[in-house]
Amino acid sequence: MAKTLFEIRSMARSHTRTALNVLVAVMRNTKATPPARIAAANAILDRGWGKATQPIENGDDGALELIHRIERVIVHPENSDS
C-alpha cells in the first residue's frame, strides 16, 4: 500500500537528528573533500537559519523590468500598458 505524504514526511523527520549528525560529521571531517564539507555546512545553515535571500539584479536581460511588468499586470491590471 502506498504511503501518504504525511507518513513519508513523518518517517523522514524521524531521522532528523541522525541526518544532522551526519552532516556535522562530514563538515568537521578534514579528510572529506572541500565540496562535501561546504555542502554539509550549507545544508546545516539552510535548515537552521533558512536559505539566504538572493538579490535580483537588472542585468542585460531586463529581469527586474520583467518582474515590475508582471507586478503591474497582477496588482494594477488597469495600468498594465504603462
Side-chain angles (χ1 to χ4, degrees):
M1 179 176 197
K3 300 275 186 201
T4 67
L5 182 57
F6 177 78
E7 290 171 318
I8 293 169
R9 283 186 180 158
S10 179
M11 289 171 56
R13 289 176 180 172
S14 72
H15 296 286
T16 299
R17 183 176 303 274
T18 302
L20 186 55
N21 288 336
V22 169
L23 288 171
V24 170
V26 171
M27 180 185 70
R28 290 183 174 170
N29 184 348
T30 58
K31 293 181 182 179
T33 64
R37 294 180 72 194
I38 292 167
N42 280 332
I44 292 166
L45 291 173
D46 288 350
R47 279 139 189 90
W49 298 98
K51 290 195 179 273
T53 57
Q54 300 295 314
I56 298 174
E57 295 182 20
N58 193 20
D60 293 335
D61 60 356
L64 193 55
E65 176 54 36
L66 177 60
I67 291 170
H68 288 166
R69 170 90 171 113
I70 292 169
E71 181 182 354
R72 285 191 301 270
V73 169
I74 292 171
V75 176
H76 303 291
E78 68 279 1
N79 298 331
S80 65
D81 292 331
S82 61

